[in-house]
Amino acid sequence: MTALNPGSPEASGMSGAALQRIDDHLKRRYIDAGRFPGTQLMVYRRGNLVHNSVQGFADLERRVALKDDTIFRIYSMTKPITSVAFMMLVEQGLVALDEPVHKYIPEWKNLGVFQAGTAPAFMTKPPTRPMQIIDLLRHTSGLTYGFQQRTNVDAAYRDKQIGTLDPAGTLDSMIASLADIPLEFSPGEAWNYSVSTDVIGYLVGKISGISFEQFLKERIFDPLGMADTDFFVPADKAQRLAACYNATVGGMMSAHSPDAKSGLTLQDDPAKSPFLSLPSFISGGGGLCSTAADYLTFCQALLNGGVRLIGPKTLALMTTNHLPGNRDLPDMSRSMFAEATYAGIGFGLGFSVTMDPAKTLIAGSPGEYAWGGAATTSFWIDPAEDLITIFMTQVIPSSAYPIRRELRTMVYAAITDANL
């Protein structure tokens, strides 16, 4: 793992007192109020880890304290890792972004666009153009997630357990099933959060000639020393896996104030979790577990220009808005996913990208890139301010509370010496 280089906030142009206020905010508003079991927050700036706070519990039922080495389900924070893996293959000249997906998945060549009907009797029309690789990376493919619960197409996903938190089958079976389900729209016409990155993981394995999980281990995790990042938690680390909770109204209050207005119910017991064994479905869209320190190591490699993973020009390409017409997410999105409501935010190749901070109404910098996971984990990287923030907890859904907006506001407020 890359050295974390602990340093004082002031030496890196930040206020220690302002960073402490974030911890106080997390404890008062979220942990003591019964909204989060515990939190870990890392702030890295100008080459130093200037803040690393750990509060609350990893497991409320067993009263296990959250620790520096707690392992979290990072869900969709898997997507940037998968996208970087794919771009390694692009750099090798093995695949190009404008190639049709059906070149690698022939059974998708005649995928139609939904017009009417329900599975299996869909009425479709031909797409205006074939799905391209870039559509998968930027979520303009026409694929979807079943949890959107908007259309007959995502209902078909739910029927086949495609893209769930605990997906059925294998990558191969998902690809075969999707050949029988129409697209939501013609590729490139809209943005819709989807299983596209799972398809990218499938393509990594198909194009590289080794399994997707082996590729990640050999090309990313081992070189960076990310020893605690994998698609399952082995037996010798099982005691470090956090419990995961659902955010509920009037939920479990045993560990918190009895008059709290919101609560938690256990979603995944770490002693019985499916994450304790290698799954049959290796999800490049949401399957990894990791630690805050491991994910910071990945982010450090990106902040350093992609060194040891991809070239700086490839990273620059990935962190540029790729939505057609340079539009932002609200202008293109058909997704119910919460981040799609952010004006001034575009999407690159695996990351959201801040285009215009003024439109977001949140402090930040143009070119900041980020994403989060279903259990309210999140990260962002701000190259202009030489800044990384990693936030970990385990509460589903990520949209239950405005924590990501609050963290951005408060972390940027802690900067005393801005680069811009």
Side-chain angles (χ1 to χ4, degrees):
M1 185 177 68
T2 303
L4 294 181
N5 298 327
S8 75
E10 286 71 20
S12 294
M14 301 194 76
S15 164
L19 292 169
Q20 180 59 50
R21 282 197 294 271
I22 305 175
D23 293 345
D24 296 342
H25 174 82
L26 291 170
K27 185 175 187 301
R28 181 183 67 257
R29 179 167 293 188
Y30 290 102
I31 297 174
D32 290 349
R35 295 181 174 98
F36 291 166
T39 62
Q40 183 169 7
L41 174 66
M42 283 185 165
V43 181
Y44 175 92
R45 189 162 195 246
R46 295 180 176 172
N48 294 299
L49 181 63
V50 299
H51 191 70
N52 180 24
S53 67
V54 178
Q55 303 186 83
F57 293 94
D59 184 333
L60 289 169
E61 286 71 23
R62 297 175 180 87
R63 309 294 288 180
V64 176
L66 198 147
K67 298 177 182 177
D68 258 339
D69 67 349
T70 294
I71 296 174
F72 302 88
R73 303 154 193 78
I74 63 170
Y75 288 119
S76 286
M77 280 168 61
T78 305
K79 288 180 170 69
I81 295 174
T82 301
S83 300
V84 166
F86 187 85
M87 293 305 290
M88 290 176 167
L89 300 177
V90 173
E91 286 192 329
Q92 291 177 242
L94 298 177
V95 60
L97 296 178
D98 60 354
E99 289 182 329
V101 174
H102 68 247
K103 175 180 177 180
Y104 302 96
I105 308 177
E107 57 266 45
W108 285 19
K109 186 171 185 178
N110 296 315
L111 273 179
V113 176
F114 174 79
Q115 287 288 91
T118 58
F122 287 115
M123 294 177 60
T124 66
K125 64 178 182 179
T128 55
R129 67 160 172 82
M131 184 193 303
Q132 297 176 342
I133 298 291
I134 192 172
D135 291 311
L136 295 171
L137 287 160
R138 68 185 181 187
H139 293 284
T140 58
S141 62
L143 301 173
T144 191
Y145 268 127
F147 67 72
Q148 305 277 7
Q149 299 195 36
R150 295 183 306 110
T151 68
N152 292 346
V153 174
D154 60 51
Y157 279 55
R158 291 194 299 276
D159 287 345
K160 297 193 176 186
Q161 286 186 265
I162 297 172
T164 63
L165 288 180
D166 187 17
T170 64
L171 272 174
D172 286 345
S173 68
M174 181 194 75
I175 296 299
S177 293
L178 289 174
D180 298 325
I181 303 174
L183 302 175
E184 290 268 20
F185 50 84
S186 287
E189 288 187 358
W191 186 91
N192 190 49
Y193 201 42
S194 72
V195 298
S196 289
T197 317
D198 285 312
V199 181
I200 287 291
Y202 170 82
L203 293 177
V204 168
K206 187 176 183 67
I207 295 167
S208 70
I210 62 175
S211 70
F212 171 49
E213 61 269 33
Q214 183 182 352
F215 187 95
L216 293 188
K217 179 175 172 56
E218 293 181 2
R219 298 290 298 274
I220 298 179
F221 302 152
D222 285 352
L224 293 183
M226 296 171 64
D228 290 326
T229 304
D230 208 335
F231 290 99
F232 75 107
V233 179
D236 62 342
K237 299 179 182 180
Q239 75 281 2
R240 293 165 50 196
L241 177 63
C244 194
Y245 297 89
N246 283 317
T248 61
V249 176
M252 185 189 70
M253 294 296 150
S254 59
H256 304 293
S257 151
D259 59 350
K261 295 181 180 178
S262 57
L264 301 166
T265 54
L266 186 64
Q267 185 267 342
D268 185 26
D269 185 339
K272 306 173 184 176
S273 175
F275 283 96
L276 296 176
S277 59
L278 184 67
S280 60
F281 187 92
I282 304 297
S283 173
L288 287 173
C289 292
S290 189
T291 61
D294 265 16
Y295 210 87
L296 178 61
T297 299
F298 173 69
C299 291
Q300 284 174 305
L302 300 182
L303 184 61
N304 291 335
V307 175
R308 301 175 65 192
L309 295 178
I310 53 176
K313 297 299 286 186
T314 300
L315 180 62
L317 179 67
M318 295 184 72
T319 56
T320 298
N321 182 35
H322 282 267
L323 297 184
N326 202 34
R327 289 183 285 174
D328 62 8
L329 286 175
D331 191 39
M332 279 204 73
S333 177
R334 296 190 187 180
S335 175
M336 295 178 67
F337 182 68
E339 226 141 325
T341 63
Y342 287 178
I345 302 289
F347 206 85
L349 307 181
F351 310 88
S352 64
V353 180
T354 298
M355 301 160 59
D356 187 344
K359 288 184 178 179
T360 72
L361 304 181
I362 309 171
S365 305
E368 168 196 308
Y369 52 101
W371 206 239
T376 317
T377 61
S378 63
F379 80 97
W380 78 87
I381 299 172
D382 184 340
E385 290 295 347
D386 198 5
L387 173 75
I388 300 167
T389 302
I390 310 285
F391 178 72
M392 298 290 195
T393 190
Q394 296 281 263
V395 176
I396 295 172
S398 62
S399 57
Y401 306 108
I403 183 62
R404 293 173 182 171
R405 179 179 291 265
E406 293 169 0
L407 286 172
R408 273 179 167 79
T409 299
M410 298 182 81
V411 169
Y412 279 115
I415 293 178
T416 56
D417 180 22
N419 291 343
L420 294 178

